[in-house]
């Protein structure tokens, strides 16, 4: 290669003098156990340990590691009474399984690691981290408690107990869960920053408990614990048709606080019949409808010691435990995140007082208010204003989405909900006493505590806003489960949306734990026939499922997470579920053709209002079903290969040939034309390799012709959109992919951006060019599915992807593909091994690329242009860790 154009060392060489001292060092950081930092409820007997390596020396690879584990932190340094000590020659630094003495339940284990590298260096020992094991079923001594009699009140019950701490405390660990939602306090203080606990799972199968270290919350002498319960998903309105009490009709609490004193003795505070209960100020609370809080009903100091219980406090009722399994946390909890001040307060043409926070978000509003006792303030939530500028909530359907606060009159208070959340940008305020000022309101974003791992920016402001919208669509809909929407009377874990968006999600945030947790529910709610429900957790019925592209979440997401995070155990855990879903399709097929049953098809595809000339992009639903049948079967081949299941590999390989043959026979002419001449039909057939090799190029040309025929607009729905640009780029039409991405008129990704969107919309034209709305019964303005283009943006524009043969970014591909008059792109991803970055710009026909590769990985870099003198269209470089600079000439006249 000509060094004039190929300069991998230029930037690195500039940095060497400044880093000469650092270059001699290697260190280990960011230790995790089962994708979590210092987790408190690890239940697997062989938890997996991960760490990241930092080194100033290029091309650094780990050649060995040394791990030590002890039940006391001081024992690590002394080397005494270690429960595991391993010194292994291995390059593995991600998800290394524990292989020491059998772990005990309820026990904290401290650990450290140090590594050696291929340059002969050994790192210092890492900082000490820990994990704590969860409870065995027999470890639970607490009893479930509830209000006396039937739990029919709309109010949220309070539960309290005082207890004595008699000695100096070494540690105090709280194990807690609820049927419903809970908020717990000790001595008047919240025990954690978690909200909507214990989260939403398939409650009939398993219920999560949380573990908190409350040592610092206790004091010598008398202490008090208090817990408030809400309806939540368990007992409140969920699903369709006003359905309530889906999982049960009784809110209940289970709590166990285990105290260890410095002298080695122990005490336990359990939920039992010694507790008292009363109703508090939360008069009603519902996920869809909001919360009503009457400050006049507050019981001041009720969760502190010395509180005097009046006659409203009664004995609790103990209830029998259910059949559900209590499980520890495998994913992140829901927490508060960004806060937004009011951008403006204004009057609508109808005279409504409305606050604009500038961002469509999910969470709630903190309200500061003071007024006469009995003053009633109502906050109503909306995503958009109508064409005239009035407050608009018709698209919320039956969800009231209102929070009401009734003042007690003696002091200024700050109000916020406890057991609900709303999707909104605008809030209508009724009943506020006096002048409403911006400082009276703060919007708070609420979502699962996933670390942001991806950054993506370009020279185009509209694309940057699109990326912003994708991220906020994810934040707003990743509230413990991946929901379709966060605002109307739905908010369900729709499986089709999740599978479409999973790859993009894994770029934006660390979703390893999030999807690990949710996939357990996918498996739990799968029926004995192999049917996967439309929504998970399933609050519909056991017949509502098996829709193509939706149920395939059971194969697609485990595989996507494996490629993104290298988690082979996830494949092992989900394998039977994956297998059973493919078995369901096989049993439903005749002659290997799956053309029966209900399917959503290419949901919300393009269809003009007055479609007189057949412009609606209707794709045969059974054609779609056959492609996803093939795709899931291919994923079974991939997974069985990884897991060493050779008989399954052979069986599914044979099945896949039959599925594809049946597709060609039923849906394709001899010349390669499909029975549905839509973009989605060709995209799926090409992406899943349904067509004979010799006909694929012409099929891609048909796809391009269709796109040009629609004026460089897409017509795809939920199932075709995620793969559209990938297919175009794969078959040599990257310029067309950019034409679609850069399109600003409807239907397109940038049309909502031009219309002022701050999240991804459910429909391509949720707001029409004339300012009117799409049909209100299905018109969410926070619906992440179409944000699946983010996968293509990271993978092709920034050029960052993981090699499935060495998953989790152990082997990295850097292959940026410029186009669309975009002159610069910067992408960054915090992988399990560390930061990968790929940033490029075009100056005077020269493509300049800067790359960063983390230690203990390697990468293949593919440049987009010709290298002088060698006659090739691209240049490849195999590199190790470090910082690199590349240049090549490109032909911008061809859009790249």
């Amino acid at each position: 290669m000509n060094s004039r154009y190929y300069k991998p060392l230029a930037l690195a060489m500039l940095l060497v003098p400044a880093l000469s001292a650092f270059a001699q060092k290697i260190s280990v950081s960011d230790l995790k156990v089962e994708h979590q930092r210092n987790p408190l409820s690890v239940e697997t007997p062989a938890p997996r340990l991960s760490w990241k390596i930092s080194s100033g020396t290029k091309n650094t690879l780990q050649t060995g590691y040394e791990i030590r584990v002890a039940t006391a932190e001081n024992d690590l340094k002394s080397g005494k009474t270690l429960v595991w000590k391993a010194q292994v020659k291995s390059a593995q630094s991600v998800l290394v399984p524990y292989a020491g003495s059998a772990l005990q339940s309820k026990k904290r284990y401290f650990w450290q690691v140090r590594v050696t590298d291929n340059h002969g260096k050994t790192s210092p020992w890492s900082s000490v981290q820990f994990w704590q094991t969860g409870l065995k079923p027999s470890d639970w001594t607490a009893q479930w408690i509830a209000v006396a009699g039937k739990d029919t009140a709309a109010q949220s019950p309070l539960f309290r107990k005082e207890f004595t701490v008699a000695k100096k405390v070494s540690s105090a660990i709280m194990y807690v869960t609820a049927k419903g939602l809970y908020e717990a306090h000790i001595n008047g203080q919240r025990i954690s920053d978690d909200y909507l606990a214990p989260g939403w799972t398939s409650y009939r199968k398993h219920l999560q408990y949380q573990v908190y270290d409350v040592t610092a919350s206790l004091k010598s002498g008398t202490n008090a614990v208090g817990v408030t319960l809400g309806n939540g998903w368990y007992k409140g309105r969920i699903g369709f048709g006003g359905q309530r009490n889906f999982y049960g009709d009784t809110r209940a609490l289970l709590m166990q606080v285990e105290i260890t004193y410095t002298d080695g003795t122990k005490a336990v505070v359990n939920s039992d019949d010694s507790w008292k209960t009363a109703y508090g100020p939360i008069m009603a609370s519902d996920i869809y409808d909001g919360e009503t809080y009457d400050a006049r009903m507050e019981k001041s100091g009720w969760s502190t010691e010395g509180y005097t219980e009046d006659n409203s406090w009664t004995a609790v009722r103990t209830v029998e435990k259910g059949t559900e399994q209590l499980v520890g946390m495998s994913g992140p909890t829901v927490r508060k995140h960004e806060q937004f001040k009011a951008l403006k307060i204004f009057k609508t043409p109808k005279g409504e007082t409305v606050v604009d926070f500038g961002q469509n978000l999910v969470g709630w509003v903190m309200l500061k208010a003071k007024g006469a006792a009995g003053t009633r303030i109502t906050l109503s939530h909306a995503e958009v204003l109508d064409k005239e500028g009035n407050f608009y909530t018709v698209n919320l359907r039956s969800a009231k989405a209102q929070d009401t606060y009734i003042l007690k009159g003696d002091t200024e208070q700050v109000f916020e909900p406890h057991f609900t959340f709303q999707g909104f940008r605008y809030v209508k305020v009724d009943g506020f006493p006096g002048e409403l000022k911006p400082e009276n309101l703060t919007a708070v974003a609420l979502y699962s505590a996933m670390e942001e791992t991806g950054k993506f920016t370009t020279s185009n402001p509209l694309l940057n806003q699109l990326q912003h919208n994708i991220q906020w669509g994810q934040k707003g809909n990743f509230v413990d489960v991946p929901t379709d929407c966060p605002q109307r009377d739905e908010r369900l874990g729709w499986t089709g949306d999740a599978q479409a968006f999973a790859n993009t999600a894994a770029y934006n945030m660390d979703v390893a734990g999030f999807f690990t947790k949710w996939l357990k529910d996918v498996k739990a709610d799968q029926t004995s026939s192999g049917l996967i429900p439309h929504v998970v957790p399933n609050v519909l019925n056991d017949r509502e499922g098996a829709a193509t592209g939706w149920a395939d979440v059971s194969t697609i997401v485990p595989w996507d997470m494996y490629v993104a995070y290298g988690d082979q155990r996830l494949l092992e855990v989900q394998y039977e579920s994956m297998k059973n879903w493919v078995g369901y399709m096989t049993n439903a097929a005749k002659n290997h053709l799956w053309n029966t049953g209900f399917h959503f098809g290419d949901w919300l595809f393009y269809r003009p209002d007055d479609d007189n000339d057949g412009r609606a992009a209707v794709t045969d639903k059974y054609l779609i079903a056959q492609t996803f049948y093939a795709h899931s079967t291919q994923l079974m081949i991939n997974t069985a290969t990884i897991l060493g299941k050779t008989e399954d590999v052979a069986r599914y390989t044979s099945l896949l040939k039959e599925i594809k043959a049946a597709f060609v026979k039923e849906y394709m002419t001899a010349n390669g034309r499909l029975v549905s001449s839509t973009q989605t039909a060709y995209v799926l057939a090409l992406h899943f390799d349904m067509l004979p090799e010799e006909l694929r190029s012409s099929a891609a040309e048909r796809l391009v012709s269709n796109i040009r025929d629609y004026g460089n607009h897409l017509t795809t729905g939920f199932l075709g959109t995620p793969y559209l640009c990938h297919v175009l780029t794969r078959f040599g039409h990257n310029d067309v992919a950019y034409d679609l991405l850069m399109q600003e008129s409807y239907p397109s990704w940038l049309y909502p951006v031009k219309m002022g969107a701050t999240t991804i919309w459910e429909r391509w034209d949720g707001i029409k060019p004339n300012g009117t709305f799409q049909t209100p019964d299905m018109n969410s303005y926070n619906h992440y599915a179409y944000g699946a283009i983010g996968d293509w943006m990271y993978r092709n524009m920034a050029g960052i992807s993981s090699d499935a043969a060495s998953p989790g970014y152990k082997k990295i591909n850097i292959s940026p593909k410029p186009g669309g008059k975009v002159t610069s792109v910067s992408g960054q991803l915090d992988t399990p091994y560390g930061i990968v970055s790929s940033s490029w710009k075009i100056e005077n026909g020269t493509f300049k690329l800067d790359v960063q590769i983390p230690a203990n990985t390697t990468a293949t870099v593919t440049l987009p242009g010709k290298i002088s003198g060698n006659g090739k269209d691209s240049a490849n470089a195999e590199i190790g860790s470090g910082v690199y600079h590349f240049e090549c000439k490109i032909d911008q006249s061809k859009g790249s």
Side-chain angles (χ1 to χ4, degrees), residues 236-281:
R237 185 156 74 104
I238 193 68
F240 304 116
Q243 175 176 264
R244 294 182 182 274
N245 300 325
F246 180 79
Y247 293 103
D249 60 7
T250 302
R251 293 165 290 190
L253 168 69
L254 185 71
M255 177 183 286
Q256 188 165 311
V257 182
E258 301 198 354
I259 304 170
T260 302
Y261 296 113
T262 53
D263 64 3
T265 60
K266 297 183 178 182
V268 180
V269 179
N270 282 333
S271 53
D272 56 22
D273 58 8
S274 67
W275 288 54
K276 294 295 183 66
T277 183
Y279 290 106

Side-chain angles (χ1 to χ4, degrees), residues 184-201:
H185 295 75
I186 290 181
N187 296 326
Q189 300 297 315
R190 243 179 163 271
I191 63 164
S192 78
D193 296 325
D194 299 338
Y195 291 85
L196 305 179
W200 189 12
T201 56

Side-chain angles (χ1 to χ4, degrees), residues 839-859:
S839 299
W840 58 262
K841 59 184 177 181
I842 300 173
E843 293 180 342
N844 301 319
T846 300
F847 180 85
K848 300 179 179 181
L849 173 67
D850 292 305
V851 173
Q852 178 182 340
I853 304 299
N856 206 27
T857 69
T858 59

Side-chain angles (χ1 to χ4, degrees), residues 124-196:
W125 283 103
S126 69
S127 61
V128 177
Q129 301 293 291
F130 68 85
W131 78 85
Q132 186 164 308
T133 50
L135 279 71
K136 303 191 305 288
S138 60
D139 290 329
W140 285 98
T141 57
Q143 295 176 287
W144 283 99
I145 59 174
V147 298
K150 292 186 176 181
D151 183 16
T152 57
Q155 288 175 269
S156 284
L158 312 177
F159 297 83
R160 76 178 305 271
K161 178 181 175 64
E162 294 191 7
F163 60 95
T164 300
V165 173
K167 308 174 188 178
K168 188 175 181 180
V169 175
S170 173
S171 69
I173 305 297
M174 175 186 286
Y175 305 90
V176 57
T177 188
K179 294 180 178 179
L181 301 177
Y182 74 85
E183 189 176 280
H185 295 75
I186 290 181
N187 296 326
Q189 300 297 315
R190 243 179 163 271
I191 63 164
S192 78
D193 296 325
D194 299 338
Y195 291 85
L196 305 179

Side-chain angles (χ1 to χ4, degrees), residues 439-611:
E439 55 264 32
N440 293 120
L441 306 107
T442 301
V444 181
L446 201 73
Y447 52 89
S448 292
M450 306 163 292
E451 294 181 14
E452 293 191 36
T453 51
K455 296 180 181 179
F456 180 90
T457 58
T458 76
S459 58
N460 187 295
L462 294 179
L463 292 182
N464 295 340
Q465 184 64 43
L466 174 61
Q467 168 64 10
H468 171 95
N469 295 0
I470 293 169
Q471 289 174 315
W472 276 94
Q474 180 173 348
K475 291 176 180 180
N477 282 291
F478 276 39
V479 181
D480 204 54
V481 302
T483 56
D484 60 325
C485 62
Q487 72 296 87
R488 66 189 182 211
D489 56 352
E490 195 165 351
R491 314 186 198 188
L492 304 178
W494 282 95
T495 50
D497 304 53
Q499 73 83 9
F501 190 73
N503 273 329
T504 300
Y507 276 114
N508 288 331
M509 294 180 170
D510 181 353
V511 293
F514 180 88
F515 274 118
T516 296
K517 176 257 184 186
W518 185 68
L519 285 169
K520 292 179 181 178
D521 294 308
V522 172
K523 182 178 180 180
D525 280 345
Q526 185 174 25
T527 69
S528 58
S529 68
L531 175 147
I532 299 290
H534 298 325
V535 300
V536 173
N538 185 16
V539 294
L540 305 180
N541 61 64
D542 287 345
R543 300 182 304 277
E544 298 280 346
T548 192
W550 271 250
D552 297 279
V553 72
S554 60
T555 55
I556 292 173
V557 173
W559 180 256
D560 287 348
M561 295 303 103
Y562 168 73
V563 174
Y565 300 105
D567 191 345
Q568 181 172 319
R569 188 178 292 176
L570 182 63
L571 295 180
E572 295 168 356
V573 170
Q574 298 297 136
Y575 189 75
E576 287 304 311
S577 173
M578 300 167 71
K579 194 172 181 179
N580 290 340
W581 166 238
V582 173
Y584 179 95
M585 291 185 283
T586 301
N587 290 335
K590 295 181 179 180
N591 298 319
H592 303 290
L593 190 67
W594 186 31
N595 59 357
T596 59
F598 169 82
H599 301 286
F600 293 104
D602 193 28
W603 189 249
L604 296 182
F605 57 87
Y606 170 72
R607 51 186 177 218
D609 290 334
D610 190 19
D611 186 30

Side-chain angles (χ1 to χ4, degrees), residues 704-724:
V704 170
S705 177
N706 182 291
I707 292 167
R708 299 304 192 202
D709 187 49
Y710 281 89
N712 289 334
H713 290 91
L714 51 74
T715 63
T716 49
F718 276 28
L719 297 185
T721 298
Y723 309 112
L724 175 57

